[in-house]
């Protein structure tokens, strides 16, 4: 649903950017609003994409009509987006006590992400191996950047990043959740869940009418405070988190897939690497060349990946909607390179007529 919503929104925005008609901008805002209802992370990304496109449109038209993109594209688009999501936010506030569009897990996820900011240096280094593709693992195998099976177990260097049910401490980790005892947790994942359970139990004992939602809101505020307290650590950990979310397909799985030998992963990883780099090259080129049409296509998936990097633990499934755009960017880049290679030199500039009419 998020992927089809992405595509619909991009097509609508392309039409709005090309025509700069209010009715087309309203349709684009409507599509973006429906996208936000499908995946709430776009509630921050969609307005940012509209503002970025408006800024570049204004720059392109700065000598003719600087404000036209804002009054005929950005503002109508934002109003239409707000018209779609606001009734749901009001409904949730009245019925549930929160205006969030998500299912009440934002605080739990953000708190988990905030806990990861405190991972030890060795865990940080080995996170790239744990969450990396086979190509990277082959490269660092036998070095201090490679994790061993023992590193994932009790007392190991990446114990805190191993929620695998095959671990020797899995049952104890889950027991910590049931008891609401984050101090007994073995992983950041279960520590977040145990903290949520502890807060929820206190709210239930106090007779709170919506303990689940209230507990999630408390974790969300706490996570925001933890992230803001040490922004340098948050940005540092964002690098392995982005690395984790960047790899898709079989590349991000820690254990072999039945029926798929390791050699079958590497071609997928090469395509993943090239297409992911192509997406960011295309986005960067659109920004620096001030091409609003290209920004429409590449901004939403890039902004989505950025938000998941900063606010979540970066599970690869979070960025699945960006995969088609990675492949599209790789195809576009390959076509342009082939065109430059085989189109030949540009035609000579015609000589100016020295005489006047």
């Amino acid at each position: 649903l998020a992927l089809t919503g992405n595509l619909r929104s991009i097509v609508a925005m392309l039409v709005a950017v090309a025509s700069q008609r209010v009715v087309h901008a309203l349709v684009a805002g409507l599509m973006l609003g429906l996208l936000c209802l499908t995946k709430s992370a776009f509630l921050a990304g969609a307005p940012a994409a509209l503002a970025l496109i408006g800024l570049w449109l204004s720059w392109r038209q700065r000598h003719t009509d600087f404000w036209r993109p804002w009054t005929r594209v950005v503002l109508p688009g934002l109003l239409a987006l707000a018209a779609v999501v606001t009734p749901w936010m009001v409904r949730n506030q009245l019925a549930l006590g929160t205006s969030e569009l998500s299912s009440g897990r934002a605080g739990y996820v953000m708190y988990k992400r905030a806990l990861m900011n405190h991972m030890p240096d060795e865990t940080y280094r080995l996170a790239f191996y744990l969450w990396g593709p086979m190509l990277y693992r082959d490269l660092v195998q036998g070095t201090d950047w490679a994790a061993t099976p023992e590193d994932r177990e009790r007392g190991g260097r990446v114990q805190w990043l191993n929620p695998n049910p095959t671990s020797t401490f899995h049952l104890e980790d889950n027991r910590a959740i049931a008891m609401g005892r984050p101090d007994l947790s073995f992983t950041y994942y279960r520590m977040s869940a145990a903290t949520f359970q502890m807060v929820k139990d206190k709210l239930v004992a106090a007779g709170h009418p919506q303990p689940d939602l209230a507990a999630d809101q408390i974790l969300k505020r706490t996570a925001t405070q933890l992230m803001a307290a040490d922004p340098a650590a948050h940005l540092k950990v964002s690098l392995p988190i982005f690395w984790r979310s960047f790899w898709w397909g079989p590349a991000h799985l820690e254990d072999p897939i039945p029926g798929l030998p390791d050699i079958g992963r590497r071609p997928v990883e090469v395509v993943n690497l090239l297409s992911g780099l192509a997406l960011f090259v295309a986005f960067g080129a659109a920004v620096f060349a001030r091409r609003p049409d290209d920004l429409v296509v590449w901004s939403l998936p890039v902004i989505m990946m950025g938000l998941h990097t900063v606010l979540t633990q970066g599970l690869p499934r979070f960025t699945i909607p960006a995969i088609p755009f990675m492949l599209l960017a790789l195809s576009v880049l390959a076509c342009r390179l082939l065109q430059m290679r085989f189109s030949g030199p540009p035609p000579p500039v015609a000589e100016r007529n020295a005489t006047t009419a």
Side-chain angles (χ1 to χ4, degrees), residues 166-185:
T166 62
S167 69
T168 57
F169 52 78
H170 178 68
L171 293 178
E172 295 173 74
D173 219 10
N174 281 343
R175 193 176 300 120
I177 298 176
M179 296 171 62
R181 291 286 303 276
D183 57 307
L184 301 179
S185 300

Side-chain angles (χ1 to χ4, degrees), residues 4-80:
T4 56
N6 239 327
L7 294 173
R8 284 194 297 264
S9 300
I10 287 172
V11 171
M13 285 196 296
L14 283 172
V15 174
V17 167
S19 68
Q20 294 193 30
R21 295 181 60 186
V22 172
V23 63
H24 293 155
L26 291 173
V27 173
L30 173 66
M31 293 296 104
L32 287 171
L34 294 175
L35 177 62
C36 293
L37 294 180
T38 304
K39 196 169 184 62
S40 59
F42 282 105
L43 192 57
L50 277 174
L52 186 60
I53 292 165
L55 181 65
W56 260 237
L57 276 174
S58 297
W59 177 264
R60 191 171 67 179
Q61 301 174 193
R62 64 190 183 279
H63 298 306
T64 55
D65 194 348
F66 180 86
W67 294 108
R68 179 184 174 88
W70 294 94
T71 58
R72 300 183 68 84
V73 177
V74 178
L75 183 58
L78 290 175
L79 290 175

Side-chain angles (χ1 to χ4, degrees), residues 44-127:
L50 277 174
L52 186 60
I53 292 165
L55 181 65
W56 260 237
L57 276 174
S58 297
W59 177 264
R60 191 171 67 179
Q61 301 174 193
R62 64 190 183 279
H63 298 306
T64 55
D65 194 348
F66 180 86
W67 294 108
R68 179 184 174 88
W70 294 94
T71 58
R72 300 183 68 84
V73 177
V74 178
L75 183 58
L78 290 175
L79 290 175
L81 188 157
V84 174
V85 302
T86 300
W88 285 95
M89 297 176 71
V90 172
R91 177 263 176 194
N92 289 349
Q93 182 65 48
L94 295 176
L96 306 174
T98 176
S99 60
E100 288 187 2
L101 295 175
S102 64
S103 58
R105 288 173 52 86
Y108 162 74
V109 172
M110 288 178 62
Y111 187 73
K112 190 186 306 181
R113 172 66 177 83
L115 290 175
M116 289 182 174
N117 289 346
H118 303 288
M119 68 174 67
D121 290 339
E122 277 195 323
T123 304
Y124 179 90
R125 184 177 71 249
L126 294 176

Side-chain angles (χ1 to χ4, degrees), residues 36-326:
C36 293
L37 294 180
T38 304
K39 196 169 184 62
S40 59
F42 282 105
L43 192 57
L50 277 174
L52 186 60
I53 292 165
L55 181 65
W56 260 237
L57 276 174
S58 297
W59 177 264
R60 191 171 67 179
Q61 301 174 193
R62 64 190 183 279
H63 298 306
T64 55
D65 194 348
F66 180 86
W67 294 108
R68 179 184 174 88
W70 294 94
T71 58
R72 300 183 68 84
V73 177
V74 178
L75 183 58
L78 290 175
L79 290 175
L81 188 157
V84 174
V85 302
T86 300
W88 285 95
M89 297 176 71
V90 172
R91 177 263 176 194
N92 289 349
Q93 182 65 48
L94 295 176
L96 306 174
T98 176
S99 60
E100 288 187 2
L101 295 175
S102 64
S103 58
R105 288 173 52 86
Y108 162 74
V109 172
M110 288 178 62
Y111 187 73
K112 190 186 306 181
R113 172 66 177 83
L115 290 175
M116 289 182 174
N117 289 346
H118 303 288
M119 68 174 67
D121 290 339
E122 277 195 323
T123 304
Y124 179 90
R125 184 177 71 249
L126 294 176
F128 292 94
Y129 182 91
L130 190 67
W131 296 333
M134 293 300 299
L135 292 173
Y136 175 79
R137 295 183 181 188
D138 292 342
L139 184 65
V140 302
Q141 196 64 45
T143 71
D144 290 339
W145 289 78
T148 65
E150 292 75 19
D151 286 328
R152 305 183 189 191
E153 294 300 334
R154 188 191 308 263
R157 295 181 293 175
V158 291
Q159 164 203 306
W160 288 101
L161 301 179
N162 182 25
N164 198 308
T166 62
S167 69
T168 57
F169 52 78
H170 178 68
L171 293 178
E172 295 173 74
D173 219 10
N174 281 343
R175 193 176 300 120
I177 298 176
M179 296 171 62
R181 291 286 303 276
D183 57 307
L184 301 179
S185 300
F186 287 83
T187 64
Y188 295 125
Y189 307 90
R190 305 297 182 254
M191 180 179 287
S192 179
T195 304
F196 175 87
Q197 188 64 44
M198 178 184 67
V199 175
K200 176 185 172 182
D201 289 344
K202 292 180 180 179
L203 292 171
V204 170
H208 197 285
Q210 297 284 350
D212 291 274
L213 291 173
D216 193 72
Q217 288 294 314
I218 291 173
L219 260 64
K220 185 177 182 180
R221 289 194 295 270
T222 304
T224 303
Q225 293 169 359
L226 290 174
M227 293 175 185
D230 195 349
H234 191 70
L235 289 175
K236 176 184 176 182
V237 174
S238 293
L239 184 58
I241 295 294
F242 174 79
W243 171 261
R244 182 187 196 184
S245 64
F246 181 87
W247 300 103
W248 40 267
H252 69 270
L253 299 179
E254 297 177 10
D255 300 315
I257 300 176
L260 180 64
D262 284 350
I263 191 63
R265 299 183 181 190
R266 289 162 179 79
V268 175
E269 293 170 356
V270 171
V271 174
N272 186 170
L273 176 62
L274 294 177
S275 60
L277 292 175
L279 174 63
F280 287 95
V281 168
F283 176 75
V287 171
F288 290 106
R290 302 186 182 94
R291 294 198 295 263
D293 295 345
D294 288 352
L295 270 178
V296 169
V297 178
W298 310 123
S299 60
L300 281 178
V302 169
I303 290 174
M304 179 193 69
M305 293 180 70
L307 289 173
H308 282 308
T309 296
V310 175
L311 299 177
T312 77
Q313 70 271 37
L315 293 178
R317 63 181 176 84
F318 291 168
T319 52
I320 285 178
I323 294 176
F325 296 95
M326 292 182 179

